[in-house]
Amino acid sequence: MTEEQSDTFYVTTPIYYPSDRLHIGHAYTTVAADAIARFKEMKGYDTVFLTGSDEHGQKIERRAAEAEENPKDFVDEIVGTFVDLWQTLGIDYDQFIRTTDQYHKDAVQHIFDTLHDKGDIYLDEYEGWYCTPCETYWREHQIGTENECPDCGRELEWVEEESYFFRLSDYADDLYSHIKENPQFIQPESRRNEMLSFIEDGLEDLSVSRTTFDWGIDVPFDEDHVVYVWIDALSNYITALGYPESDQRFEKYWPADIHIVGKDILRFHTIIWPAILMGLDLPLPEQVFGHGWLLTETGKMSKSRGNVVDPMELSEDFGRDAIRYYLLREVPFGSDGTYSTEALINRINSDLANDLGNLLHRTLSMVEQNFAGVIPAPDKKSEIDKDLKNMALKTARSVADQIDGLRYTQALEELMNFVRRSNKYIDETRPWILAEDEDQHDRLKTVLYNLLEALRFISIMLKPFMVDTPEEIGHQMGCRREIVMSDWSDLDEWGQLPVGRSVRKGDPIYPRIDLEEYFAGKEETEEVDSETEQTQEEKKEMPEGLISFREFQRLELKVAKIEEAERISGSDKLLRLVIEIGEDEKRQLVAGLARHYSAEELMDKQIAVIENLEPAEIFGVESQGMLLAAEDKDGSLSLLEPDVRVEPGAEIS
Ligand code: MSP
């Protein structure tokens, strides 16, 4: 690398398909890229962070047709939601590329022309399978007997058409050597081995144009063909920098330092993309990092499975910083991990409310109580102080190394260890005892100064990960500007916090969230939402407050017998019940009965149950129905039981 290049840093996310709204899995890639970009910026690199949208291809054309819109209008609308989402999550990208932008289209045609002129692209017939959702070609030997996509499991389509081909096979040896000789090129290590064996199995030439639909960039010398969407999409990483124009940006920032992508699209980025770059005589990116999947308890997130988690909604409920923190703290970057709202809330409560929030609140309260809210100048030193200071300096260095290696989980773990160490410093120095003794006031000044300085370190180290929290901590410490303007070199020395500023203690930055209340509130909102979805017609016909007979008939009310009952751990209201609701038919219910009945009392009781209520997860346990109980004035609950015992499953009408 030349002197000039080493000062730049170019990071990219994949460009997203605007076929659907983005979910938390998509946000995962972008938050991760945003963190490294913010960090490099703080380290003084001239950073470019690119993201965008991948708007062509058969999949989008079909979605647009289903929506009865022309493809451009269709994508315009969805891309608008991407931009909103990135803004909500505080994604500070430098450039947003759309593959429908004219400069990109021109550049892709140039790339196609160049490879064709060179003999790397030739005309032939394609016969084989195609996965439209993945926009991927598959050969017979790569798929099983079911004709399902080996990547996504969806049905493949048989394609027979004239197509231009790229001589991918010619690049197999060079690619293999490059991956072998440059261990950093594909990370994590395990993914590198996967890609090497993929090449060992043999590379075939790649079909790079389609004739059976129109929504794409025209092949410049043959208007019957559109460019294969992956060639179009991958090229974005260089067209965004102005390639092929001899643009200073391209010269300055290419090759990219890192492409961050999900593991599902690593093959495109480490085999097809480098081969194209080799064909164009361009240098290859320094690294392609393939991160793992963010799954839900019911598997991979997808609209068809109905298990997508909406990052906008989460951000409204918990704030963007908590989401960003959770995404990067919870799952080691590179591995698969499971998203759960319960884990998110637990993480907020333990790390952000308890450890971080308390440290700030306790420290500022003591500054207010003892020094009229003014940051005191430190005085005498002691061993305990040195320990805190050394740990701050060491943590700053080590967190930087971890972020550099995209080991976000470890970075945040170390950062939080320092937060906990700072809380321990309060316990060790016992400022409330020092405050009682006039002679100890100098010592108290030092202790509080050190705590505030620790908070300065913490808020600066949080800046790659969080957007508002560091600023808010700075604001409450009376040093907002310093924190906002700070870069990583402000962590080189201990003791830079200005004295004499007035602190402004506010509300706790992360109030604790009550898991039970949160889920109960969610259920209520969902009920209201589904009510609003009822057809207006039905509503119009009915006088206010009444339901129609048709609506009543939709309820399936039955008698059930309780077979098992137990407390749900962590909740003082909820019980998990197993009920028999017909011959050999068992159901699980979650009921808020724990304060009214013991588990033993409930055994064998016959109860009334709504059978066809949509299942809901309450406190991490699925509830498949709802029992009926009467609530007395004092709030006590009494179960509704049949007058005489009946067979479980008997209908209530
Ligand atoms: N358009 C292509 C990328 C072209 S890049 C030249 C594409 N788009 S995508 O919208 O389907 O996916 C974008 C990114 O989101 C990919 O990195 C993908 O791996 C990531 N994720 C989508 N769902 C995800 C999870 N559930 N978990 C983690 N990442 C996920 O692929």
Side-chain angles (χ1 to χ4, degrees), residues 165-182:
F165 281 78
F166 172 63
R167 293 189 196 280
L168 184 61
S169 57
D170 282 3
Y171 290 97
D173 291 346
D174 287 349
L175 271 174
Y176 195 82
S177 322
H178 185 82
I179 298 173
K180 270 270 182 217
E181 285 159 20
N182 297 279

Side-chain angles (χ1 to χ4, degrees), residues 63-322:
R63 287 280 168 89
E66 279 161 25
E68 294 180 0
E69 280 187 66
N70 84 49
K72 184 66 169 61
D73 290 344
F74 176 78
V75 292
D76 279 352
E77 202 177 305
I78 300 182
V79 170
T81 67
F82 291 6
V83 174
D84 290 347
L85 174 62
W86 300 149
Q87 203 174 352
T88 302
L89 291 177
I91 305 298
D92 194 15
Y93 55 78
D94 296 284
Q95 192 175 345
F96 188 100
I97 185 169
R98 298 185 59 176
T99 53
T100 48
D101 289 339
Q102 195 56 47
Y103 72 89
H104 170 79
K105 294 199 279 187
D106 293 345
V108 168
Q109 290 193 323
H110 172 90
I111 290 168
F112 212 89
D113 253 338
T114 311
L115 295 172
H116 182 247
D117 290 350
K118 214 183 144 193
D120 269 354
I121 285 182
Y122 62 92
L123 188 64
D124 206 340
E125 288 288 323
Y126 179 78
E127 218 185 74
W129 296 98
Y130 194 75
C131 174
T132 308
C134 297
E135 301 281 15
T136 309
Y137 295 100
W138 294 103
R139 294 291 163 128
E140 202 79 50
H141 70 270
Q142 294 173 305
I143 62 173
T145 46
E146 302 296 322
N147 299 339
E148 281 170 0
C149 171
D151 275 352
C152 74
R154 280 175 280 199
E155 207 181 323
L156 296 168
E157 292 174 49
W158 182 253
V159 172
E160 264 182 49
E161 59 187 314
E162 186 186 73
S163 175
Y164 285 95
F165 281 78
F166 172 63
R167 293 189 196 280
L168 184 61
S169 57
D170 282 3
Y171 290 97
D173 291 346
D174 287 349
L175 271 174
Y176 195 82
S177 322
H178 185 82
I179 298 173
K180 270 270 182 217
E181 285 159 20
N182 297 279
Q184 88 300 339
F185 179 60
I186 302 178
Q187 283 295 318
E189 186 69 21
S190 57
R191 305 249 148 82
R192 175 168 170 257
N193 297 333
E194 262 172 51
M195 293 304 121
L196 283 170
S197 24
F198 193 86
I199 304 177
E200 280 160 15
D201 286 348
L203 294 185
E204 288 176 23
D205 288 352
L206 176 73
S207 162
V208 287
S209 75
R210 302 286 313 270
T211 53
T212 45
F213 65 93
D214 296 324
W215 181 238
I217 300 174
D218 288 338
V219 168
F221 44 84
D222 189 342
E223 60 189 25
D224 291 340
H225 291 246
V226 293
V227 174
Y228 172 42
V229 66
W230 269 101
I231 303 294
D232 169 353
L234 288 162
S235 306
N236 93 91
Y237 301 127
I238 54 175
T239 65
L241 297 178
Y243 181 85
E245 300 305 319
S246 88
D247 185 309
Q248 284 177 349
R249 294 184 74 228
F250 181 70
E251 306 296 324
K252 190 168 173 191
Y253 298 107
W254 190 258
D257 292 271
I258 185 159
H259 292 316
I260 299 183
V261 303
K263 63 179 184 180
D264 53 321
I265 56 172
L266 193 66
R267 200 158 27 91
F268 297 92
H269 283 81
T270 55
I271 293 176
I272 301 179
W273 180 225
I276 290 172
L277 289 167
M278 285 176 177
L280 296 171
D281 292 321
L282 293 175
L284 307 193
E286 288 291 317
Q287 182 169 105
V288 183
F289 191 101
H291 66 72
W293 284 105
L294 200 62
L295 308 162
T296 67
E297 274 142 11
T298 48
K300 195 180 147 209
M301 259 174 245
S302 77
K303 200 177 163 205
S304 52
R305 290 190 200 192
N307 62 357
V308 289
V309 180
D310 177 5
M312 277 291 198
E313 193 181 319
L314 282 190
S315 189
E316 263 165 41
D317 288 358
F318 303 108
R320 59 182 170 189
D321 279 359

Side-chain angles (χ1 to χ4, degrees), residues 539 542-548:
K539 288 209 147 178
M542 277 300 116
E544 182 81 5
L546 297 184
I547 60 165
S548 66

